Structure formats: structure tokens, C-alpha cells
């Protein structure tokens, strides 16, 4: 079988590597960092551990399928995976709070009615029901198959327009929905429900004012398939996948930066490393932003003008994530919630600070941003029962677009997150032993899942390129970012290599 070189050891790259190795290929992974996992990182200090990338897993079936297909040991035999219940607690600007049960439509409806008033749950449930229609319409071409050659059919938004009463009792479809913010205002009315919907987009680095209405599938996915937490943090999932790759004889070389992709007779022939080595390969799987591929190909473009293009301009830069890791004295109180989202009282200022106001000027961070607070009830994350590990995070503007970038500004931003998080963790600031502030690094951003609609502006470049033997995998390629989507990307690339470029995905 063929020798395959994989650039990078992120989740999508490792998912592809494990599947390709099981198919009989000889797979070698070259990662410029010192470890595996890509954005799935962890900070460890003084007996505390913190996930500094994703904090929860949605759509666990993707990784269950991966582990079944790459060996007899199921996912749950490799790590302890449990549902988080409640899935989340939301604290709104007016002080109202609601805890939403995990994977329970009826439970969510009842909780919203009780907290926000009669009818709130039904309005939310109706929107999620329409999101299900969008999910059913787009799931196969968007997630389960390689990006169609006629990708423009995905430019149409599958989110159904709301049918309303017209003149004389006649029903009409009303105006076509275009953005998530529009359907939030039209269908939810209550500003707290609007904040709930838009926070799902913001968490993925999407601007609800511009994201297609189909972004409503994000809360649908979470509410339907649940929120899951691996004991030891999400990093434990990356470790389990790495161990599965090793068990299938995948070779890893860390500290190995790929500086070029070699070609011969019109197809890829291997990779060139910074230390001068050249590794021969019949296929190359690039687990990196496709915008970097021309630099590795001597300026050659891997995608044609009629294909979805990598985003390379300043306006295309995705937001980043500011993370604050808090080591706290004192035990986690009874009844504490794993995940709390404290919503900004000024969503307009927050969105302008993250995504801009259209003027092109520097973006001023919001004084009180939306903050996600993670408090896992996991003994492995703390030195003992008299301490607690808490992680705060907020979506922030892309690197280089805020008004100040010095260390003092980063610490001030962390102070703002902590002030907001007081609503989720009683006595937070008095309990802090130490904190680590992790701003987004230069070039680091949050890749969002691909979405249909908006004429394809939220799609990602396809996994197959125009250069024979070269494939792209991971969050910046089809079908986009997120843990589940990375796993799907790996499955698609493996399918294309094993079955050929005419492979159409699952049947």
C-alpha cells in the first residue's frame, strides 16, 4: 500500500491518519509543535489542569464511529465520557437565569417557560424545529460527503421561512430570512432568547448579523445530540486518538516543520522539512489552513477559480479566543453547573468590538463581554477536594485588529472576564490562588463549522485539491471547524484516498 505523509497532528489530521493506517497504508505524521492535538490543548500547573481549547464534545457519534472503524475497542473503553446535565446555565443581562437540561426538547421548553415566561419555550422550540429541517436538508452534502463540484447549490439557505398570516387571513411565507440575527428578532422577540440563540454563533466565532439563518443548526445540534465531557478534559480525547494512531502503527515526528510539498510528474511526491530532509509519499494530507498551501507549493494554487477559495484577506480573518485559567481555593459548591454563559448587557457593542462596525477602524473590546465559565466536576483537574479549576473564555477580535495589544491590555481584558464571571462563581476573586491568561496567538483563530446559505460564503475549501495526491483536512477545510467537524473531515479525506476521487461519501 501507499506511503502517506500527513502535515500536522490536529484532530482532523489524526482522524484521517488512523483510518488510513487501518486501510493498510503506511502513514507518517509531521508536526512542527512538540505535541499532538492541535487546538485541543491543556494547561497543567500545581496539580490543576485546564482545557484551553474546546471544553465540551458535541456529536460524540463521530468519534464513536472513528474508534469502532479503527479497532475493536470502542471510544468508551479508551476514556470515560459522560453527559453534562444541565447542559448549560445562562445568565442574562437583566439577571434572569435559566438552566437547560441536556438533550431534552421538552425539558428545555419547560425550563424556558418557567424562567422567561409562558410561551418562551414554545417560541424557542419552534425555531429549533425549523433548524431541524435545515439540518436534515444539508446534513448529507455538507457533512457526510466531499464538497460537491457544484457547491453553489449549498449557497441557498435551507432554513425555512416562517409562514405568517397575511391580509384577510391568508397565509404567506413572508420575507426571505437571510441572517441569524434577523430570524432571532422575527421569531423570538424576547431579547433573552435572542441572546441565547446568538451566543451559539458567537462561541464559534460567527457574527450573527452576517451568519446565515442556517446557523440555527448549532443550538439544534447541541440540544439534540447533547453535551459530553471526557474525564480528564477534552484533551483526554486527543490523547486517546493519538494512542489509537500509535496502535495502528502511525509514525509521528514532532518538531518537524514542513516547508514544502514536493511534486513529480504532475502529482505530489512527498514533503520537504526545515532540516533539509525530504520524505517521499504517494499522498500528502495537509492538516493546515489551505491558504498556506501555495507557499508550500512554490506559489502554485491548489484550487481553481470555480472552487471555494481559502480566505486570505484581512476581512476574512476569524476571531480568536481569550482564555483565563483560574486556580481557586475552596471546594466546588454543591449544585454548581459545569458550563455557565453570562451574557453581555450590550450585544451591539460586543459584536462591534469583535467583528467591527463596518468602518474598518480598530475594534474596542466590550466592557462586559459574553463569558463562558467552565467548572467541571472532575477530580483529575484539581489537586484535591479543597480546590477548584475554572476556565473562562470569550470570543475576541482577530489578532491585530484591537486598539491595544500590550500585556497590560491583556490583563485588563482578563479582569473584565473575571468581573463578569462573578455571576457564575460566588466569591470568585477572593478565591483566586493564581491565574494564567492565554490571549489568542498571532495567526490563531476559531474556525467555524461550514454553513449553507449566503451564496456559499460560509463554506470551506474542499478536501480534494486540483493537484493529484494532495488533500486538505481539518477545521479550515470542508466541513469546517469544531471537534465533530474535524472528525468528519478526517473520515472524508480517508474515504477519498481509499476509494478514489469519485467517492461520494456514506451511503
Amino acid at each position: 500500500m501507499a506511503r502517506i505523509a500527513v502535515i500536522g497532528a490536529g484532530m482532523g489530521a489524526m482522524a484521517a491518519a488512523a483510518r488510513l493506517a487501518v486501510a493498510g497504508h503506511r502513514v507518517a505524521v509531521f508536526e512542527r509543535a512538540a505535541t499532538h492535538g492541535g487546538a485541543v490543548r491543556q494547561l497543567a500547573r500545581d496539580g490543576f489542569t485546564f482545557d484551553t481549547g474546546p471544553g465540551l464534545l458535541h456529536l460524540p457519534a463521530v468519534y464513536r464511529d472513528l474508534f469502532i472503524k479503527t479497532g475493536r475497542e470502542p471510544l468508551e473503553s479508551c476514556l470515560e465520557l459522560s453527559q453534562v446535565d444541565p447542559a448549560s446555565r445562562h445568565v442574562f443581562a437583566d439577571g434572569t437565569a435559566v438552566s437547560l437540561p441536556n438533550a431534552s426538547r421538552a425539558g428545555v421548553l419547560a425550563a424556558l417557560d418557567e424562567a422567561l415566561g409562558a410561551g418562551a419555550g414554545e417560541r424557542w422550540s419552534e425555531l429549533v424545529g425549523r433548524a431541524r429541517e435545515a439540518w436534515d436538508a444539508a446534513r448529507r452534502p455538507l457533512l457526510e460527503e466531499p464538497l460537491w463540484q457544484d457547491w453553489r447549490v449549498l449557497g441557498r439557505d435551507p432554513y425555512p421561512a416562517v409562514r405568517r398570516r397575511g391580509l384577510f387571513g391568508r397565509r404567506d411565507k413572508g420575507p426571505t430570512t437571510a441572517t441569524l440575527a434577523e430570524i432571532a428578532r422575527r421569531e423570538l422577540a424576547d431579547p433573552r432568547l435572542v441572546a441565547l440563540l446568538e451566543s451559539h454563533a458567537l462561541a464559534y466565532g460567527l457574527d450573527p448579523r452576517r451568519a446565515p439563518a442556517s446557523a440555527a443548526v448549532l443550538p439544534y445540534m447541541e440540544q439534540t445530540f447533547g453535551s459530553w465531557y471526557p474525564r480528564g478534559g477534552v484533551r483526554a480525547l486527543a490523547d486517546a486518538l493519538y494512542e489509537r494512531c500509535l496502535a495502528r502503527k502511525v509514525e509521528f515526528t514532532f518538531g518537524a516543520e514542513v516547508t514544502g510539498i514536493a511534486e513529480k510528474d504532475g502529482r505530489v511526491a512527498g514533503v520537504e522539512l526545515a532540516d533539509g530532509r525530504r520524505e517521499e509519499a504517494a499522498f500528502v494530507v495537509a492538516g493546515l489552513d489551505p491558504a498556506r498551501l501555495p507557499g508550500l507549493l512554490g506559489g502554485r494554487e491548489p484550487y481553481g477559480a470555480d472552487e471555494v477559495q481559502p480566505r486570505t484577506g484581512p476581512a476574512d480573518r476569524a476571531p480568536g479566543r481569550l482564555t483565563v485559567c483560574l486556580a481557586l481555593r475552596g471546594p466546588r459548591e454543591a449544585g454548581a453547573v459545569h458550563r455557565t454563559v453570562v451574557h453581555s448587557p450590550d450585544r451591539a457593542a460586543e459584536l462591534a468590538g469583535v467583528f467591527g462596525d463596518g468602518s474598518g477602524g480598530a475594534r474596542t473590546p466590550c466592557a462586559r463581554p459574553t463569558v463562558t465559565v467552565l467548572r467541571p466536576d472532575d477530580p483529575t483537574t484539581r489537586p484535591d477536594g479543597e480546590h477548584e479549576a475554572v476556565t473562562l473564555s470569550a470570543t475576541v477580535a482577530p489578532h491585530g485588529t484591537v486598539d491595544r495589544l500590550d500585556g497590560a491590555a491583556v490583563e485588563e481584558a482578563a479582569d473584565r472576564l473575571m468581573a463578569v464571571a462573578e455571576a457564575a462563581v460566588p466569591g470568585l476573586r477572593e478565591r483566586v490562588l493564581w491565574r494564567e491568561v492565554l490571549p489568542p496567538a498571532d495567526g490563531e483563530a476559531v474556525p467555524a463549522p461550514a454553513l449553507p446559505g449566503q451564496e456559499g460564503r460560509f463554506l470551506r475549501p474542499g478536501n480534494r485539491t486540483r493537484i493529484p495526491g494532495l488533500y486538505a483536512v481539518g477545521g479550515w477545510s470542508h466541513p469546517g471547524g469544531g471537534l465533530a467537524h474535524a472528525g468528519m473531515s478526517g473520515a472524508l479525506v480517508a474515504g477519498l484516498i481509499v476509494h478514489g476521487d469519485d467517492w461520494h461519501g456514506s451511503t
Side-chain angles (χ1 to χ4, degrees):
M1 301 296 283
R3 178 169 169 80
I4 299 174
V6 178
I7 305 173
M11 297 299 284
M14 289 197 294
R19 289 177 181 270
L20 289 167
V22 166
H25 294 288
R26 293 177 294 116
V27 183
V29 177
F30 301 95
E31 168 59 60
R32 64 181 178 180
T35 187
H36 58 275
V40 182
R41 296 183 295 269
Q42 194 171 73
L43 171 69
R45 173 181 163 185
D46 300 340
F48 295 87
T49 59
F50 310 84
D51 279 324
T52 61
L56 291 170
L57 172 64
H58 307 295
L59 277 175
V62 172
Y63 287 92
R64 289 183 176 130
D65 178 74
L66 169 61
F67 275 71
I68 288 295
K69 297 289 178 59
T70 58
R72 295 181 179 178
E73 307 89 349
L75 176 62
E76 274 83 356
S77 72
C78 301
L79 77 167
E80 183 180 327
L81 193 64
S82 60
Q83 280 192 307
V84 174
D85 203 10
S88 60
R89 179 172 180 259
H90 292 263
V91 180
F92 299 105
D94 65 352
T96 307
V98 60
S99 292
L100 302 179
N102 201 343
S104 171
R105 176 183 176 277
V108 169
L109 190 155
L112 290 173
D113 270 352
E114 181 178 354
L116 308 185
E122 188 61 36
R123 289 196 299 275
W124 177 261
S125 184
E126 288 178 355
L127 182 142
V128 172
R130 285 185 284 276
R132 177 181 179 176
E133 293 184 44
W135 168 264
D136 289 341
R139 180 182 61 187
R140 186 179 180 94
L142 193 67
L143 302 178
E144 298 177 354
E145 297 183 350
L147 188 62
W148 291 356
Q149 185 174 4
D150 183 17
W151 58 268
R152 289 178 179 80
V153 299
L154 290 170
R156 295 191 293 271
D157 196 327
Y159 186 87
V162 181
R163 296 182 64 85
R164 298 183 180 278
R165 291 282 180 184
L167 292 174
F168 309 111
R170 292 179 298 187
R171 294 176 68 84
D172 59 35
K173 291 187 177 181
T176 302
T177 56
T179 69
L180 190 70
E182 287 176 356
I183 67 168
R185 291 193 302 269
R186 184 178 302 137
E187 301 180 32
L188 298 175
D190 189 316
R192 295 166 296 185
L193 289 178
V194 172
L196 175 60
L197 177 62
E198 292 187 347
S199 68
H200 285 81
L202 186 62
Y204 283 99
L206 292 166
D207 184 349
R209 303 168 303 178
R210 299 180 178 88
S214 64
V217 301
L218 300 176
Y220 165 78
M221 288 167 51
E222 181 176 320
Q223 184 173 309
T224 302
F225 304 110
S227 299
W228 300 75
Y229 175 77
R231 179 181 172 89
V234 174
R235 177 66 188 186
L237 176 63
D239 292 342
L241 181 51
Y242 173 65
E243 293 296 330
R244 175 55 55 87
C245 287
L246 292 179
R248 299 301 168 259
K249 310 302 182 185
V250 175
E251 302 171 7
F252 286 83
T253 304
F254 295 104
E257 182 179 2
V258 173
T259 56
I261 297 174
E263 297 181 67
K264 182 179 180 180
D265 298 329
R267 63 171 292 121
V268 298
V271 295
E272 299 165 350
L273 304 177
D275 62 6
R277 285 183 295 154
R278 172 169 165 161
E279 296 286 341
E280 305 293 332
F283 298 91
V284 173
V285 176
L288 44 75
D289 187 341
R292 293 176 53 197
L293 287 177
L296 300 179
L297 292 164
R300 186 177 177 190
E301 295 292 341
Y303 295 99
D306 59 340
E307 296 176 293
V308 177
Q309 296 295 307
R311 298 185 170 101
T312 57
D316 294 322
R317 283 185 291 177
R321 184 176 288 115
L322 175 67
T323 302
V324 182
C325 301
L326 300 174
L328 303 185
R329 62 173 64 88
R332 183 180 188 269
E333 73 272 13
V337 176
H338 186 117
R339 175 178 54 163
T340 300
V341 180
V342 185
H343 294 264
S344 173
D346 191 345
R347 181 58 56 84
E350 179 175 38
L351 296 180
V354 175
F355 302 102
D357 58 7
S359 67
R363 305 174 192 182
T364 302
C366 178
R368 293 185 66 83
T370 296
V371 176
T372 298
V373 183
L374 296 180
R375 307 179 66 188
D377 187 11
D378 182 351
T380 69
T381 66
R382 52 187 182 258
D384 53 52
E386 295 303 311
H387 295 85
E388 184 182 7
V390 173
T391 306
L392 316 179
S393 64
T395 301
V396 297
H399 185 89
T401 59
V402 295
D403 53 359
R404 291 185 298 160
L405 293 173
D406 55 43
V410 170
E411 293 298 324
E412 289 171 10
D415 289 340
R416 290 195 291 271
L417 265 62
M418 290 184 61
V420 172
E422 289 275 5
V425 185
L428 173 64
R429 279 179 279 195
E430 290 73 24
R431 295 177 58 194
V432 174
L433 287 170
W434 51 261
R435 77 181 186 186
E436 289 274 358
V437 183
L438 305 174
D442 188 10
E444 185 179 69
V446 180
L451 295 168
Q454 297 285 354
E455 300 180 347
R457 286 192 290 271
F458 289 83
L459 299 176
R460 298 292 182 191
N463 307 111
R464 55 190 158 210
T465 72
R466 293 204 166 186
I467 299 174
L470 176 62
Y471 298 84
V473 73
W476 297 107
S477 304
H478 180 73
L483 276 173
H485 290 68
M488 296 175 196
S489 182
L492 293 174
V493 167
L496 288 167
I497 292 176
V498 171
H499 301 293
D501 281 349
D502 59 350
W503 178 70
H504 296 298
S506 61
T507 58

